[in-house]
Amino acid sequence: MTDIPEAPERPRLAFRHTPGTGPTVVFLCGYASDMNGTKALALEEWAKRTGQAFLRFDYAGCGESEGEFEDQTLALWRDDALRIIDAQVTGPVVLVGSSMGGWVMLLVARARPELVKGMVGIAAAPDFTDWGFSQAEKLTMLQHGRLEQPNDYGDAPTVTTRGFWASGEANRMMIGPIAFDGPVRLLQGQRDKEVPWERAARLAELLRSDAVQTVLVKDGDHRLSRDQDLALILRSVEDVLSLCSSSS
């Protein structure tokens, strides 16, 4: 396991760093996902082929990183992203956030405005603790401390804890204008059963930057992992990198 030293009372994080030309592209995984997913690996292959600096990692409690999954919160995963960027990256970054990673992406950009030059959201799901659960599901979390739901991507159920939900509610981003001025691409499938496609348009509206484009994939699902989806992601990252270069 490639890792960085633990922060005080925090687990060690596994990561893979591809050296190359900056800005460093940093992939932020979705909820209960890991750095070995199709999109992260496609980006890494592209980075190695083009000489682009790239970083992928696992949040604490996920994948190869240490820690217990149910002990984690959104704020802790944001802090994981910040400490691995601070430890492993020299210079600016472009963030690529998938699903919940799109929420972490916005939180990191707010915390490190001098470093984050551009963003690509893939089915970005900021504030999903607010809109992604029914009142009955929220009540279950509050009363019992956790919620189990069927998992379309594996045999084990998806668990959401009261601690994660409360952290999400305390760190909502779409409650007002989002102060980011760099280039942004938001990719969203219109057949996404988890993130309503209208959320992408609302996020684009809230971002202060004028260099924001929203791409709706009519037959795209939540994962956006087909060959044509991966090609769209790579084009979007290259587009953002080009705009970052031209503005520097």
Side-chain angles (χ1 to χ4, degrees), residues 105-193:
M105 174 180 75
L106 296 174
L107 293 169
V108 170
R110 183 173 67 181
R112 296 289 187 275
E114 73 284 0
L115 291 182
V116 180
K117 301 303 181 183
M119 301 189 292
V120 177
I122 307 167
D127 299 12
F128 75 82
T129 51
D130 181 39
W131 51 262
F133 298 97
S134 68
Q135 288 302 116
E137 290 168 338
K138 292 177 182 179
L139 188 60
T140 296
M141 279 186 278
L142 290 173
Q143 290 180 335
H144 302 287
R146 65 200 299 274
L147 171 71
E148 291 190 4
Q149 296 173 293
N151 179 6
D152 292 337
Y153 309 112
D155 296 330
T158 298
V159 175
T160 309
T161 65
R162 177 172 53 205
F164 180 90
W165 180 83
S167 181
E169 290 297 275
N171 287 280
R172 285 183 289 166
M173 290 294 300
M174 296 181 64
I175 55 178
I178 299 172
F180 184 77
D181 296 311
V184 181
R185 298 294 178 265
L186 300 173
L187 315 180
Q188 177 67 51
Q190 288 190 278
R191 294 179 185 171
D192 188 333
K193 296 179 181 179

Side-chain angles (χ1 to χ4, degrees), residues 2 6 49 72 95 105 136 165 182 202 204 208 224 232 236:
T2 306
E6 67 272 18
R49 187 173 66 249
Q72 312 308 316
L95 303 177
M105 174 180 75
W165 180 83
R202 177 59 178 158
R208 187 169 66 189
L224 289 180
L232 173 62
S236 300

